[in-house]
Amino acid sequence: MNLECIECGKKHDLSTVANTCSCDGLLEISYDLSEVNFSLKDRTAIPPHVWKYRELLPISGVPVSLMEGGTPLYRCKRLEAECGVKELYVKHEGMNPTGSFKDRGMTVGVSRAAELGIKTVACASTGNTSASMAIYAAKAGMKALVLLPSGYVALGKVAQALMHGATVLAVKGNFDDALLLIQRVCSEKGFYLLNSVNPYRLEGQKTIAFETIDQLATHKNANVPDRVIVPVGNAGNISAIYKGFKEFHELDIINKVPMMTGIQASRSAPIVDAFRRGLAQIEPVAEPQTVATAIRIGNPINAPKALRAIRQSNGAAESVTDQEILKAQKDLARLEGIGVEPASATSLAGLRKLIAQGTIDRDETVVCVTTGHLLKDPEAIMKACRPPIEVDANFDALYSTLSELERS
Ligand code: AN7
C-alpha cells in the first residue's frame, strides 16, 4: 500500500496524518494489485457490506463498523419507460446506518483514527458527514467536533449529530468557510480531520462501485453499467466510485470502466463549469445556493480528482435547477417508492437532462446513485407536498372531505 500525491507522484509515509502533499496536491491510497490476495472470486455469494472488500481497504485490524453498505440496487422499470432509457438502476445509499453514503467512508476513516490513537475527530459539514462522523465517534469512544453552515443544514442531520453526542457549532458562513476553519483547527489542535479530503474516507466510499458490479451480476442481462451518475458537492464520492471501478478493472473483474457523470445544482456548479470550459482547475463559486443544501458547496476540495474521474472515463458533468431536482425527488418517490433527499435526486434530474441533450444514449445501462434518505430533510418534504387535511372525528365529516377531494 502507498500514499501518493495525485499531482507530483511523491510517495508519503503511511504513518502521516497529512491529507495533502508539500506541493498542495491531494493524496490517494494505492495498492500493488498484483499483491492483493483477492479471495473474492465467488464474491456474489457473500452478502454485500463494506468490509466484504477488506483486501482492498487500508485497515488491517478490527474495524469500527455499524454494518454499513449492502444498500439495495433497484431496477426502475417505470422510470425507464418515463425517461426512455434501456436499463435504469438506482443504488440507494440512503439505506445506510445514518441514511447516507457517508457511513461507508466514516467506518474506514474512524477505524484509521482508532489505529492512530486519536481522541477527537472533526469535520465541517453540510449535514450528512456530521451525522455519520457522530455515530462512528460514539461507537469508537471518541469526541466529535462539527462545524455546520448556520441555517443551511437539514433538520434530520443536525438532530443526528446532536443525539449521538457531537459538539455542534453553527458557523455564520457557508460550508467552504467552515472547511477552511476546521482544517486549521485540526492542524493546530491535533484533531483528526474527517472531511473527504481524507483519503481513507474515499477508500470506504469506493465500495459503492464494487457492490454495484456484484449486484448487477445477479440481474440477468447486466454486468458493467455503461454509465454511473452521481450527485456532486465536495466531489469526494464521484472520485471514490471511479477509483473503485478502476481497481476492479485492473483486477480484470470488469472489462471497462463506466462513464462517470457528475451532477451539481445550477448555482453551485464549479465542476460543471470547469468541465464545459475545459479548464484544468475550477473557479470557486463565492455564494453557492440551492434547495439541495447537502451540495451547497462553492469550492469543492476534491475537484482535481473529480475532473480526472470524469475526463478519464469519458463521462460528463451537468447542472440541474432546483425545480428539476424537486421534480425528480417526487418522481423517485411516487414512481419507484424510493425516498431521497433533494441532493440525491440530482442524479435522476441529470439523467433526464443529458438524455434530452443527446449526451446519454437511450441504449445505455445507467446506474443513478441516490446519496441520502428522504427523512434527512423533513422541511423540504413539507414544502413540496400538501399538508394533511384536518377532519372532525365523525363519518359525516370524513365522507364530506373525501367527496370534496374526489371532485377536486
Ligand atoms: C446527500 O455532509 O459534503 O461530492 O458535509 O450529503 O462527495 O461531497 C455532503 C455531501 C451528495 C456530495 N449527496 O458528495 C457533507 C457533504 C448528499 C450529500 C453529496 C453530499 P461529495
Side-chain angles (χ1 to χ4, degrees), residues 100-102 124-130 157 175 195-196 205 231-238 294-295 297 341 343-344 371-372:
S100 88
F101 70 97
K102 305 284 182 183
S125 179
T126 59
N128 281 323
T129 298
S130 71
K157 307 172 188 180
F175 168 82
N195 280 97
S196 57
Q205 289 170 212
V232 172
N234 216 17
N237 207 30
I238 191 169
I295 53 172
I297 295 174
E341 65 167 287
S344 305
T371 40

Side-chain angles (χ1 to χ4, degrees), residues 89-108:
Y89 298 84
V90 166
K91 179 78 173 145
H92 190 14
E93 287 297 300
M95 303 297 274
N96 271 293
T98 67
S100 88
F101 70 97
K102 305 284 182 183
D103 297 341
R104 290 181 188 269
M106 270 318 155
T107 180
V108 178

Side-chain angles (χ1 to χ4, degrees), residues 140-221:
M142 293 173 193
K143 288 190 180 150
L145 171 64
V146 167
L147 300 190
L148 304 177
S150 179
Y152 287 94
V153 178
L155 189 60
K157 307 172 188 180
V158 185
Q160 287 176 297
L162 291 172
M163 177 49 89
H164 289 289
T167 300
V168 181
L169 304 180
V171 173
K172 294 177 189 164
N174 61 31
F175 168 82
D176 304 295
D177 300 322
L179 184 57
L180 280 178
L181 290 168
I182 201 75
Q183 284 179 291
R184 174 141 163 216
V185 171
C186 283
S187 67
E188 290 181 4
K189 290 196 165 277
F191 299 165
Y192 190 66
L193 183 67
L194 277 171
N195 280 97
S196 57
V197 66
N198 181 318
Y200 288 83
R201 275 259 327 260
L202 300 191
E203 289 305 290
Q205 289 170 212
K206 77 185 176 185
T207 59
I208 292 175
F210 300 162
E211 262 180 31
T212 299
I213 295 301
D214 287 349
Q215 288 170 315
L216 277 177
T218 65
H219 287 269
K220 228 170 70 201
N221 297 318

Side-chain angles (χ1 to χ4, degrees), residues 8-56:
C8 73
K10 184 176 163 193
K11 290 195 166 66
H12 292 252
D13 194 289
L14 279 173
S15 64
T16 183
V17 291
N19 296 312
T20 46
C21 183
S22 44
C23 78
D24 278 344
L26 296 165
L27 301 185
E28 180 171 85
I29 294 171
S30 61
Y31 306 83
D32 180 354
L33 293 177
S34 64
E35 292 284 311
V36 170
N37 173 17
F38 210 61
S39 64
L40 295 174
K41 287 276 183 282
D42 55 347
R43 298 179 321 278
T44 50
I46 310 168
H49 168 230
V50 165
W51 295 98
K52 166 181 170 179
Y53 303 100
R54 65 174 311 147
E55 286 95 334
L56 292 172

Side-chain angles (χ1 to χ4, degrees), residues 385-400:
C385 302
R386 183 155 88 174
I389 303 163
E390 294 268 335
V391 289
D392 290 332
N394 64 70
F395 284 110
D396 282 351
L398 179 56
Y399 285 138
S400 107

Side-chain angles (χ1 to χ4, degrees), residues 99-330:
S100 88
F101 70 97
K102 305 284 182 183
D103 297 341
R104 290 181 188 269
M106 270 318 155
T107 180
V108 178
V110 171
S111 297
R112 176 62 181 160
E115 279 183 353
L116 293 167
I118 297 287
K119 299 216 164 39
T120 303
V121 290
C123 68
S125 179
T126 59
N128 281 323
T129 298
S130 71
S132 186
M133 190 182 81
I135 71 160
Y136 287 92
K139 180 85 178 168
M142 293 173 193
K143 288 190 180 150
L145 171 64
V146 167
L147 300 190
L148 304 177
S150 179
Y152 287 94
V153 178
L155 189 60
K157 307 172 188 180
V158 185
Q160 287 176 297
L162 291 172
M163 177 49 89
H164 289 289
T167 300
V168 181
L169 304 180
V171 173
K172 294 177 189 164
N174 61 31
F175 168 82
D176 304 295
D177 300 322
L179 184 57
L180 280 178
L181 290 168
I182 201 75
Q183 284 179 291
R184 174 141 163 216
V185 171
C186 283
S187 67
E188 290 181 4
K189 290 196 165 277
F191 299 165
Y192 190 66
L193 183 67
L194 277 171
N195 280 97
S196 57
V197 66
N198 181 318
Y200 288 83
R201 275 259 327 260
L202 300 191
E203 289 305 290
Q205 289 170 212
K206 77 185 176 185
T207 59
I208 292 175
F210 300 162
E211 262 180 31
T212 299
I213 295 301
D214 287 349
Q215 288 170 315
L216 277 177
T218 65
H219 287 269
K220 228 170 70 201
N221 297 318
N223 187 12
V224 189
D226 297 301
R227 187 181 299 273
V228 174
I229 308 183
V230 188
V232 172
N234 216 17
N237 207 30
I238 191 169
S239 314
I241 298 172
Y242 174 63
K243 186 172 190 287
F245 283 124
K246 258 197 340 188
E247 287 174 3
F248 261 25
H249 189 239
E250 273 177 55
L251 286 162
D252 270 337
I253 292 169
I254 53 177
N255 60 8
K256 66 173 182 192
V257 170
M259 292 177 272
M260 299 304 302
T261 301
I263 312 295
Q264 295 192 291
S266 55
R267 289 168 297 160
S268 309
I271 291 182
V272 176
D273 179 59
F275 177 75
R276 275 196 196 128
R277 293 163 63 198
L279 304 179
Q281 284 179 344
I282 59 155
E283 288 171 7
V285 172
E287 291 187 25
Q289 278 305 340
T290 168
V291 65
T293 51
I295 53 172
R296 185 175 166 269
I297 295 174
N299 190 13
I301 201 159
N302 287 299
K305 286 185 177 176
L307 282 169
R308 221 178 34 156
I310 293 166
R311 286 175 174 148
Q312 289 179 358
S313 67
N314 199 24
E318 189 49 84
S319 62
V320 290
T321 64
D322 282 358
Q323 211 183 356
E324 290 165 332
I325 292 172
L326 294 174
K327 176 171 190 315
Q329 183 192 26
K330 232 175 214 174

